Structure formats: C-alpha cells, structure tokens
Amino acid sequence: MATLIYEKKIKNQNMKLSDLLKTVKLLTISGKTDIEIAGINIDSRKIKDGHLFVAIKGTQTDGHRFIPKAIELGATAILVEDMPEQLSEGVTYIQVKSTEDAVGKVATIFYGNPSHKLKLVGVTGTNGKTTIATLLYNMFRKFGHKVGLLSTVCNYIDDVEVPADHTTPDPIELNILLSRMVEAGCEYAFMECSSHAIHQRRIGGLKFAGGLFTNLTRDHLDYHKTFENYRNAKKMFFDDLTKDAFAITNADDKNGMIMVQNCKAKVKTYSVKRMADFRARILECHFEGMYLEVNGKEVGVQFIGKFNVSNLLAVYGCAIMLGKQADEVLLALSTLKSVNGRLEPINSPEGYTAIVDYAHTPDALENVLIAIHDVLDGKGGKVITVCGAGGNRDKGKRPLMAVEAVKRSNKVILTSDNPRDEEPQAIIDDMIAGLDNTQKKKVLSIVDRREAIRTACMMAEKGDVILVAGKGHETYQEINGVKHHFDDHEVIKDIFGIQ
C-alpha cells in the first residue's frame, strides 16, 4: 500500500528515455529515445501506458517471454539483452549486454538518485547482517536523526513500517523506498546486502557512504554452487565502493581482508582477537548482558556471545566513521536491545530458560551454543537444542548443522523448520546422516515442531537452557508452498503458561 501511494505521487514526473540511458552502455537501439517514460517495471503485469519494461533473465523465468504482454499493457520502450525477431511499431527497443546490470542504473536516475541524498551504508556477510543494520538504525534514531532501514525482518522509513519480502528488494522497489526516505527527511539509511542481491545487481547504481563485512561461512550454495562464487559475490560489493566511502571489515574472519583487497574506499578493521582499529574484550558475561572494554573504555550491553561483541564492534566502528564521538556511541550501545529472534531469552516459571534464535547455518549454530556455554560456565546447567534445516536449500549444510548441535548440546531434538516442497522427515534424515552412532544416541527426531519444543520443555530442569534455533523472527512455517502461522515465541510462552 505504501509503495502504491508513492507511485501516485511520482506519476506525473515523467522523464525522457534518453536521460534514463545516460549511464548505461548501449549495444543497439531501434526507435526513438526522445519519448517520455512514465514508469519502469521488471514485472510485465505491472506495466501501464508509457512505461519502460526491463526484460531480465531470472533464475526461474526469462522476462523476454513477456515482452508482448508488456506492450499490450502500454509499454512504449523495452530494455532487452536479446532483440526480438519481430519489433512492434511505435515501441523503442534498447539492447544492452546485461539488463540485470542496467535496471538499477536506470531506476536510480528515474527516482532522482536518492542514494546521493542521504548516507547509505550496506551490511553484508553470512551472519549478523540484520542485527548490525537494525542496531545502527536504532542508534541513529536515538541520536535524533531520521533514518531508513532495509532488512530481512522489516523495512522502515523513519518510524513507518514497510513489510519486507526479500533481504534486498529489486532495484525499482529499492529506489522507491530510498526516494520515500529522502522525502521523509531521512539523513541515513542502513541496508542488508545479500549475496543474491549483489550478484543480481539489485544494488546497481546506488551510492554507498560505507560498507560493513561481518563474516563468511557456508550458505546459499544451492544458488552460488561453490563457496568461491559465494565469497566473490560478497567481494563485489566492496570492489564497487568509491574512494570517498569507507569499508569496515572483520579482521577475525579469514576472508575479512580478502573482501577489501581491491577496495578503493577507506578501510578499517574490527576484532575481538587481535590488533585492529576497533577492538573489544569481554569483562563479564550473564544472560542479561555483558560488560565489555571497547577501545579502552568500559561499557555494559544487553547482549551475550562473542559473535555479538563482533556485531557491536561493527556498529561502533560504523558510527565513528559516520562522524559520531566515541562516548556518545558507547552510551547509545548500552541502551540498545537484541533484535527480535536473535538470542532472545524467555524464562520459564520452573527456572530454566528457552532461547529463540535465527541460527540456520552451521557457523551461526556454533556461535549461539558457544555464547550459551559462556554464560553457563561453571553453573552446571544442561543445553537442549531444538533445530532443523530449510527445504529446497543447500543440502550440504544439513549434516554439518547436526554435528554442531550435537557437539555442544546435552540433547538434540531434530525437527521441521521450513520444509517448503520437501518431506520434513527426509530433511531430518539428511541431518542425521552426518552423525556417528555415539552422536546419534543424543538425538531425538520429532517432525512436529510444536511437539519438539514441548518435549524439550518436559526434559528441562532448573538451570537448563533450551535453544530453539532456525526461525527466530519468522512467524510462519512454509509447507508445500503454503505459509502456516507458527511463531516459536508464542509456542514457548503457551507451554510456559505466560503472556
């Protein structure tokens, strides 16, 4: 709804096709370029009179197939990679090497170069993107600025919520959102940049004031095929940063410096293990939070886990690079709270704790379990882990996740996550396949996620911790293409008998 309202506002702000193509390398043109363009779309169903239709070769379908439909609905210009054999009279065809690359540049111009009118910071890596982007958004609002957020959980235009369907929207929707942020007076915008979005050039044409790298572990190999392709997709983001931008990278990750080896931006590092521009160490750790030393100054924060120390360092470093003073940044850090579904504790009346977390990769699961053990150190509580793996995604990480769960848990209950089009039990079997006979003795298999969580609660005693991993902020389970309402928080609270 919010997007439609904005589109009505810009409906009469037409632009010459020739102006839209100024930053695009053209191969051939058939037709006039001095025509007025009233809108841009990559979805032929949304085309209206005077629109430019961009035909993109996607992973599921080829947009070139829908050129006739776009023309039927009123498209007066078509951006293509392959020229159609038959050209419609009165329609301009523009051929480029990559429409995926061109659409972001065209959309940026059409919507008034919004990323040039605020300070846009991108966050990329396997884990931590949502936490870092959201904490930066919350911090800069505490500083009194109007701020935008583009994240997995939700998009925000200052305090106005715009639901998110993808980690990174398509280039047209992205520029619409950024334009609305500029209209609302936002001075900053913080954005998750997924490997898919970088590789598919969804962020093409945008100007970034800075970029942050979190870490790199196995993920999305169903799309990228190899870890090297996945790493290179992330690296593209830093390769494209300009010399007036900044890049902050995790020196503790073995790929941290690889990310910035060809980066023209000003490079800074953060670390919890070695010398870096932004450093921290844990002084005390409890389930309620930690006391840290950050660049020689002490601060209490409402987070737990070494990986969260890294996340907070990235936030700290970014705020410093954006011109904030260290003392005001540390004060703001002390007031920030965990993002929904990220290491979120729920205490039971019986004295044990359930923790909801989004961990859905082997590395993320390892980090969360280490954080739990750091707090339990010497207190004797058991750890019971409930987890699964998503269907129609990288199958190679399933046995690795099971191994990580078993390695750091007293008991593991493997269950359904988002099975999508796969059989839930088959996914669980893939996870169990990574375990030896001794490890299997610690594992139960319960397909029904609600029943799996209930069983974990029945097994827990005072002082124990139940980790419910994989879904975090999600409020649904996707089964055979249908999303059914399911919220780990709600299920746990219902079992606990609390509101």
Side-chain angles (χ1 to χ4, degrees):
M1 182 64 72
T3 299
L4 292 175
I5 292 170
Y6 185 73
E7 286 179 337
K8 286 178 182 176
K9 285 185 182 179
I10 63 164
K11 190 174 181 181
N12 297 320
Q13 296 178 8
N14 295 0
M15 189 172 288
K16 291 277 189 190
L17 178 59
S18 55
D19 291 333
L20 288 178
L21 300 174
K22 281 182 178 177
T23 59
V24 179
K25 190 173 181 180
L26 309 177
L27 297 180
T28 58
I29 297 177
S30 173
K32 300 177 180 179
T33 59
D34 61 348
I35 59 174
E36 293 281 328
I37 296 298
I40 307 169
N41 258 303
I42 59 176
D43 186 340
S44 61
R45 295 167 296 184
K46 296 179 181 179
I47 290 292
K48 296 176 183 175
D49 287 340
H51 277 205
L52 167 67
F53 174 61
V54 185
I56 291 178
K57 294 180 178 179
T59 54
Q60 303 297 322
T61 188
D62 185 349
H64 290 73
R65 291 173 46 206
F66 305 104
I67 291 174
K69 181 66 176 177
I71 294 171
E72 181 186 321
L73 291 173
T76 51
I78 313 291
L79 194 60
V80 301
E81 290 180 20
D82 304 324
M83 276 287 193
E85 292 183 9
Q86 293 185 326
L87 305 182
S88 297
E89 190 176 344
V91 176
T92 300
Y93 295 83
I94 310 101
Q95 185 181 26
V96 295
K97 183 178 180 181
S98 169
T99 50
E100 204 169 60
D101 179 63
V103 64
K105 297 173 181 176
V106 171
T108 296
I109 294 174
F110 185 78
Y111 292 105
N113 292 297
S115 61
H116 290 249
K117 298 172 183 176
L118 45 66
K119 290 184 178 178
L120 176 64
V121 176
V123 186
T124 195
T126 305
N127 303 310
K129 296 188 296 296
T130 300
T131 294
I132 292 170
T134 305
L135 293 182
L136 281 165
Y137 163 80
N138 289 332
M139 174 182 281
F140 274 74
R141 292 196 75 223
K142 285 180 181 290
F143 290 150
H145 300 289
K146 289 192 172 185
V147 189
L149 174 67
L150 295 152
S151 83
T152 304
V153 178
C154 193
N155 301 318
Y156 281 91
I157 299 167
D158 199 29
D159 59 349
V160 178
E161 181 177 333
V162 183
D165 294 323
H166 304 284
T167 302
T168 313
D170 69 60
I172 297 167
E173 179 66 17
L174 189 48
N175 276 281
I176 289 173
L177 286 167
L178 288 169
S179 294
R180 292 186 64 210
M181 290 176 190
V182 171
E183 268 193 358
C186 292
E187 301 168 71
Y188 300 89
F190 300 102
M191 171 183 177
E192 291 185 52
C193 297
S194 68
S195 57
H196 292 70
I198 298 166
H199 185 255
Q200 294 168 9
R201 308 301 295 177
R202 284 187 235 158
I203 58 174
L206 299 182
K207 177 177 173 55
F208 286 89
L212 305 177
F213 173 70
T214 64
N215 49 62
L216 203 68
T217 59
R218 181 187 178 118
D219 202 12
H220 302 305
L221 297 197
D222 52 306
Y223 175 83
H224 295 288
K225 306 306 179 188
T226 69
F227 183 82
E228 288 72 23
N229 290 342
Y230 176 49
R231 181 187 64 199
N232 291 340
K234 298 287 189 185
K235 185 177 177 295
M236 282 171 59
F237 173 72
F238 295 95
D239 290 349
D240 289 343
L241 289 177
T242 55
K243 63 181 181 181
D244 59 339
F246 63 83
I248 302 177
T249 191
N250 184 358
D252 294 333
D253 188 280
K254 62 183 179 182
N255 290 288
M257 299 315 295
I258 293 175
M259 287 294 132
V260 295
Q261 65 185 10
N262 301 116
C263 183
K264 298 181 285 292
K266 186 175 184 179
V267 174
K268 295 287 184 179
T269 58
Y270 64 93
S271 172
V272 296
K273 297 177 181 177
R274 52 181 58 87
M275 291 298 295
D277 296 295
F278 309 112
R279 295 184 63 202
R281 65 188 181 98
I282 299 172
L283 302 176
E284 288 183 34
C285 186
H286 312 276
F287 274 127
E288 294 75 26
M290 298 178 286
Y291 284 103
L292 308 177
E293 183 183 84
V294 177
N295 277 21
K297 297 185 177 184
E298 292 186 15
V299 62
V301 296
Q302 300 174 60
F303 298 81
I304 64 170
K306 288 180 182 176
F307 69 96
N308 265 327
V309 179
S310 290
N311 290 338
L312 293 171
L313 270 178
V315 171
Y316 174 83
C318 182
I320 297 295
M321 295 305 292
L322 288 172
K324 299 302 178 183
Q325 296 299 310
D327 286 345
E328 67 174 333
V329 176
L330 291 174
L331 179 61
L333 276 183
S334 70
T335 67
L336 295 176
K337 295 184 178 180
S338 180
V339 176
N340 178 28
R342 267 59 173 186
L343 255 176
E344 195 171 350
I346 304 172
N347 296 317
S348 78
E350 285 76 24
Y352 61 87
T353 301
I355 290 180
V356 176
D357 193 86
Y358 188 53
H360 60 284
T361 66
D363 180 68
L365 202 54
E366 177 188 22
N367 285 337
V368 171
L369 285 166
I370 287 173
I372 291 170
H373 280 287
D374 284 344
V375 177
L376 284 177
D377 188 28
K379 296 176 184 175
K382 300 191 303 295
V383 177
I384 304 167
T385 297
V386 179
C387 67
N392 303 107
R393 296 294 188 268
D394 176 17
K395 292 186 177 183
K397 71 180 182 182
R398 293 173 185 175
L400 302 178
M401 288 183 68
V403 169
E404 289 299 340
V406 169
K407 193 188 301 182
R408 292 178 169 84
S409 306
N410 298 90
K411 198 73 178 179
V412 175
I413 303 176
L414 297 179
T415 189
S416 181
D417 190 296
N418 286 321
R420 299 184 176 88
D421 297 325
E422 290 192 62
E423 281 296 322
Q425 186 61 55
I427 297 172
I428 292 172
D429 291 344
D430 285 343
M431 298 183 79
I432 292 173
L435 306 175
D436 60 31
N437 289 333
T438 302
Q439 291 171 320
K440 287 176 183 176
K441 292 176 182 178
K442 296 171 69 174
V443 175
L444 291 177
S445 168
I446 303 175
V447 171
D448 186 294
R449 190 174 182 89
R450 186 182 303 273
E451 194 55 40
I453 296 171
R454 187 182 301 279
T455 301
C457 292
M458 290 172 63
M459 296 168 66
E461 299 174 335
K462 185 176 181 179
D464 291 349
V465 176
I466 300 170
L467 170 63
V468 182
K471 296 184 65 59
H473 64 279
E474 292 178 351
T475 57
Y476 63 85
Q477 260 195 310
E478 187 176 341
I479 303 169
N480 293 323
V482 179
K483 289 185 176 180
H484 303 268
H485 181 77
F486 193 100
D487 185 330
D488 285 346
H489 304 81
E490 290 179 6
V491 172
I492 292 167
K493 288 178 180 178
D494 180 56
I495 294 169
F496 286 179
I498 60 177
Q499 296 297 316

